[in-house]
Amino acid sequence: MTRFIDVPQLAALVRAIGPGRFMTELADAIQADYLRWNDFDKTPRVAAHSARGVIELMPVADRVRYTFKYVNGHPSNTATGLPTVMAFGALADVDTGYPRLLSELTLMTALRTAATSAMAARILARHGSRRMALIGNGAQSEFQAIAFHTLLGIKEVRLYDIDPAATAKLRRNLAQAAPGLAVSCAASTAQAVRGADIVTTVTADKAYATILTPEMMEPGMHINAVGGDCPGKTELHADILGAARVVVEYEPQSRIEGEIQQMPADFPVVELWRVLDGSVAGRESDGQVTVFDSVGFALEDYSALCYLDRLAQAHGIGTLVQLVPPAGDPKNLFGVTLANTNSTMHPNPAGQAPVALSGQQRLSAAA
């Protein structure tokens, strides 16, 4: 049987654990896997581009587990009430190929993206950073603010979005979820970033945009560039990159999709795993501008799925489903179609019904 986790089940788990603790533990799991960088079979994600967006497959594996994520990016979806990003994924055993876990990853992607951002900032931002500007106040913004508040001790966040309703939404949610975080609104990007230690850009438009320009930069800033994540989509002026220390997740993928797609093929960058293991310096001085050119990498989804699998088993959540035929005669697949031939078709035939685990109810009650 395969464990299936849907959005309500994951949401109940996050509420029970707390978003801050959840992302802290997830950040530690992601960092631990980056420190095993050479254990993984890695590849840039496979993308199918269209006029309105992109659909991508993100696989990765070590010697024990294989994971993949299906994810899209369609900025115009919000006009019809659909999320810009939707995702699901699976975790399987390498030895047999058997799928252990099938999960929603839309909510989990937002959690792991914020956890990765804050994990990278712990080693790239100046020590004692306390003020952050958050440019782009859509679906990912709350997660980013809470992660930086929890993992880095950010005390003040200044918000800006071209959509005032998005900013108002973010401010309401943070008042409830992070009451210790001082939140203010800016009238422009330039006003938001003035005096900030960390600047997070997480905009959605699929365009060569220049959300940040060189005159907005101040010595020692750390830029967490999250929104540029596919060919033809950027947020930073190229001159910012040219004057900064740029760290990426996986260089072959970032050259295609990241901010550095604007730069020459020999533009120097540092991969995150090398900074984490101490072989290369991240920030070289307090006055240096650092950029985390984050596009999202499959290893982070591997960490997220493994972390979720451990939590689901510990808390007894999820639904057991028969995603593959049951054990029996592996050469008689057609026999599966002959089983229960005297039974009337029913969404949950006897002996094959999904099994909702009791811990789900306990988590829902606790939340």
Side-chain angles (χ1 to χ4, degrees), residues 54-118:
V54 62
I55 297 174
E56 298 171 323
L57 185 67
M58 302 172 64
V60 72
D62 63 8
R63 292 185 296 273
V64 179
R65 296 183 181 90
Y66 167 91
T67 67
F68 77 83
K69 180 171 78 173
Y70 163 99
V71 62
N72 76 302
H74 288 70
S76 61
N77 274 3
T78 54
T80 58
L82 289 174
T84 297
V85 175
M86 296 174 283
F88 65 88
L91 179 153
D93 290 328
V94 166
D95 282 349
T96 64
Y98 195 91
R100 293 169 51 91
L101 178 70
L102 178 66
S103 178
E104 86 78 41
L105 286 183
T106 307
L107 175 56
M108 197 65 178
T109 293
L111 290 158
R112 75 86 161 130
T113 300
T116 302
S117 293

Side-chain angles (χ1 to χ4, degrees), residues 21-251:
R21 177 185 161 194
F22 191 99
M23 286 189 281
T24 299
E25 293 178 354
L26 181 53
D28 291 341
I30 293 169
Q31 181 166 333
D33 285 330
Y34 265 103
L35 290 171
R36 300 194 299 120
W37 183 258
N38 291 320
D39 292 344
F40 290 92
D41 180 4
K42 301 172 288 290
T43 183
R45 53 190 165 203
V46 180
H49 295 276
S50 67
R52 298 185 63 183
V54 62
I55 297 174
E56 298 171 323
L57 185 67
M58 302 172 64
V60 72
D62 63 8
R63 292 185 296 273
V64 179
R65 296 183 181 90
Y66 167 91
T67 67
F68 77 83
K69 180 171 78 173
Y70 163 99
V71 62
N72 76 302
H74 288 70
S76 61
N77 274 3
T78 54
T80 58
L82 289 174
T84 297
V85 175
M86 296 174 283
F88 65 88
L91 179 153
D93 290 328
V94 166
D95 282 349
T96 64
Y98 195 91
R100 293 169 51 91
L101 178 70
L102 178 66
S103 178
E104 86 78 41
L105 286 183
T106 307
L107 175 56
M108 197 65 178
T109 293
L111 290 158
R112 75 86 161 130
T113 300
T116 302
S117 293
M119 180 269 289
R122 286 191 298 202
I123 56 168
L124 294 175
R126 286 177 300 188
H127 179 71
S129 293
R130 293 295 177 263
R131 293 201 292 179
M132 183 169 81
L134 186 46
I135 313 301
N137 302 160
Q140 300 249 353
S141 55
E142 287 87 352
F143 302 92
Q144 291 283 332
I146 293 168
F148 276 82
H149 178 51
T150 305
L151 275 76
L152 270 82
I154 289 294
K155 295 185 179 299
E156 176 188 346
V157 61
R158 199 173 301 145
L159 316 178
Y160 178 70
D161 194 295
I162 59 173
D163 178 7
T167 301
K169 174 270 307 181
L170 174 56
R171 193 168 192 175
R172 287 194 306 272
N173 286 344
L174 290 179
Q176 179 178 344
L181 181 62
V183 179
S184 61
C185 302
S188 67
T189 298
Q191 185 184 86
V193 305
R194 193 172 301 127
D197 300 303
I198 297 171
V199 178
T200 289
T201 56
V202 60
T203 60
D205 287 343
K206 187 180 179 183
Y208 286 116
T210 49
I211 305 301
L212 297 182
T213 52
E215 67 273 11
M216 298 179 191
M217 296 298 96
E218 298 177 10
M221 273 184 171
H222 171 62
I223 302 169
N224 176 43
V226 180
D229 59 1
C230 68
K233 183 182 178 187
T234 63
E235 296 178 314
L236 309 184
H237 192 286
D239 288 348
I240 293 176
L241 301 172
R245 178 76 156 171
V246 179
V247 176
V248 300
E249 290 144 312
Y250 182 47
E251 186 175 348

Side-chain angles (χ1 to χ4, degrees), residues 233-290:
K233 183 182 178 187
T234 63
E235 296 178 314
L236 309 184
H237 192 286
D239 288 348
I240 293 176
L241 301 172
R245 178 76 156 171
V246 179
V247 176
V248 300
E249 290 144 312
Y250 182 47
E251 186 175 348
Q253 180 174 296
S254 299
R255 293 281 179 191
I256 299 168
E257 301 181 342
E259 295 294 331
I260 60 171
Q261 67 185 274
Q262 309 173 62
M263 308 305 285
D266 60 352
F267 176 74
V269 298
V270 177
E271 286 188 323
L272 178 61
W273 72 275
R274 299 181 67 201
V275 179
L276 291 170
D277 75 5
S279 60
V280 176
R283 171 173 293 276
E284 297 171 306
S285 69
D286 281 350
Q288 186 176 49
V289 172
T290 55

